[in-house]
Amino acid sequence: MPDIISIGEPLFELNQPKGEDIFRQGHGGDTSNCAIAAARQGASVAYVTSVGADQFGESFMKLWTDEGIDTSAVSRSPVAHTGLYFVTHAADGHVFSYMRAGSAASRMTPEQLPVAMIESARILHASGISQAISSSAADAVFAAMRIARAAGVTVSYDTNLRLRLWPLDRARAVIHSAVALADIVRPGLDDARHLTGLTDPDKIVDFYLAMGAKIVALTLGEDGAIVATPDRRERLPPIAVKLVDATGAGDMFDGAFLSEYLRTNDPFASARYANMAAALSTEGYGAVAPMPRREAVEAAIAAGRR
């Protein structure tokens, strides 16, 4: 059985590089990205989702198989499509447009969950997006988290707030309820400021620790990250990169952190490793293509890259 199970929505990606008229095909969706990132670090991973019986769903099935991800809990919908998203690049960063309403993944229900697989895993990972896509998907994620907790499985949760998908009050209520069920919480700074009403990073970390998280990894964008447990915290400096596209960097952090945490049981070493992996992933276009494998991350760390 896989060590890491990720649950959520994959999105087929069409990414238009700066100065080009074409859209390059790729793959996205935060929890799918996390699964691939973890697999590329050597972890045993399964993905729980639903895709359409269309060419985009076929592309995902091939991708996950090629990456060594267990797809036995991926269902194929004969009536709903695989979600799509478009990425364009403006002066102030990348811009996302989505075609995901009614997607196969948004129709997930608790009854579809692979209970035995979740109970035998070491980590279950989900996100705010996994719950924002529909009420039934939110219910499925809550059910998966409770199954995991009852079985002693570590629960990881990325708050990943998308206000296009739901109003802030509803998002805050659902995400806070999910955080209360999580052992590892990975908010981004901008999202956390919306969700908590706080601005200071250390106070945000304190907020999530007070909700019961055993580990909080707060990513700070260009300013690095903070990783904390109830009795220790560490500030990770940013790593200099030749920035091309930051799409999926947070998901890369998630997957790299979880994979390394399984190896070391050290949240601080895992966060340092994930910080490097996420930095490297921004040096190419798209979410998946530039995700580094373990050997590249270890080589950058060994070289003392900063």
Side-chain angles (χ1 to χ4, degrees):
M1 287 286 195
D3 288 331
I4 298 173
I5 297 176
S6 189
I7 180 171
E9 180 190 40
L11 291 168
F12 194 81
E13 175 186 277
L14 293 166
N15 194 317
Q16 183 180 44
K18 292 179 183 177
E20 296 187 17
D21 294 328
I22 63 168
F23 282 84
R24 298 182 183 178
Q25 296 185 9
H27 301 87
D30 63 337
T31 53
S32 173
N33 294 342
C34 173
I36 294 167
R40 289 190 179 182
Q41 311 317 302
S44 169
V45 185
Y47 195 45
V48 178
T49 191
S50 182
V51 295
D54 49 38
Q55 67 189 71
F56 306 118
E58 288 290 343
S59 182
F60 269 112
M61 296 299 289
K62 182 179 185 304
L63 170 70
W64 295 324
T65 299
D66 289 347
E67 296 288 345
I69 293 171
D70 184 331
T71 60
S72 61
V74 177
S75 64
R76 304 294 303 275
S77 172
V79 296
H81 66 280
T82 305
L84 304 175
Y85 78 112
F86 301 83
V87 185
T88 55
H89 298 269
D92 56 350
H94 42 271
V95 179
F96 297 95
S97 301
Y98 297 91
M99 293 179 63
R100 74 197 317 170
S103 72
S106 74
R107 302 186 187 199
M108 285 191 297
T109 66
E111 291 72 28
Q112 292 175 257
L113 294 173
V115 175
M117 178 184 283
I118 293 171
E119 290 176 335
S120 65
R122 296 173 65 189
I123 294 176
L124 172 76
H125 177 75
S127 79
I129 293 176
S130 303
Q131 297 185 289
I133 53 178
S134 72
S135 295
S136 66
D139 291 344
V141 170
F142 276 129
M145 295 174 84
R146 291 191 175 98
I147 291 166
R149 284 180 67 88
V153 176
T154 296
V155 176
S156 166
Y157 190 80
D158 185 328
T159 58
N160 224 351
L161 176 67
R162 293 292 183 272
L163 290 175
R164 290 186 182 185
L165 293 175
W166 51 359
L168 180 58
D169 285 344
R170 187 184 308 160
R172 184 182 287 124
V174 172
I175 290 173
H176 283 357
S177 295
V179 165
L181 295 172
D183 301 292
I184 301 170
V185 179
R186 209 290 293 170
L189 182 59
D190 288 343
D191 291 354
R193 284 173 168 164
H194 279 99
L195 291 166
T196 67
L198 303 170
T199 58
D200 179 76
D202 282 299
K203 290 183 179 179
I204 289 170
V205 169
D206 292 338
F207 178 93
Y208 287 114
L209 289 172
M211 292 189 74
K214 297 175 183 175
I215 301 167
V216 175
L218 175 67
T219 51
L220 306 174
E222 296 178 352
D223 294 323
I226 298 173
V227 60
T229 63
D231 51 10
R232 178 183 166 191
R233 73 184 58 192
E234 183 175 318
R235 183 79 175 246
L236 306 181
I239 294 168
V241 296
K242 296 178 181 178
L243 179 63
V244 174
D245 182 3
T247 304
D251 310 329
M252 181 73 228
F253 188 102
D254 290 343
F257 180 94
L258 297 178
S259 177
E260 192 67 4
Y261 186 65
L262 287 181
R263 291 179 72 246
T264 66
N265 199 37
D266 182 339
F268 301 96
S270 300
R272 290 190 290 271
Y273 180 93
N275 196 39
M276 178 63 75
L280 296 177
S281 74
T282 68
E283 297 187 325
Y285 276 109
V288 172
M291 285 183 170
R293 298 185 184 274
R294 174 167 291 279
E295 53 268 27
V297 181
E298 290 180 341
I301 293 172
R305 182 166 174 177
R306 298 180 182 277

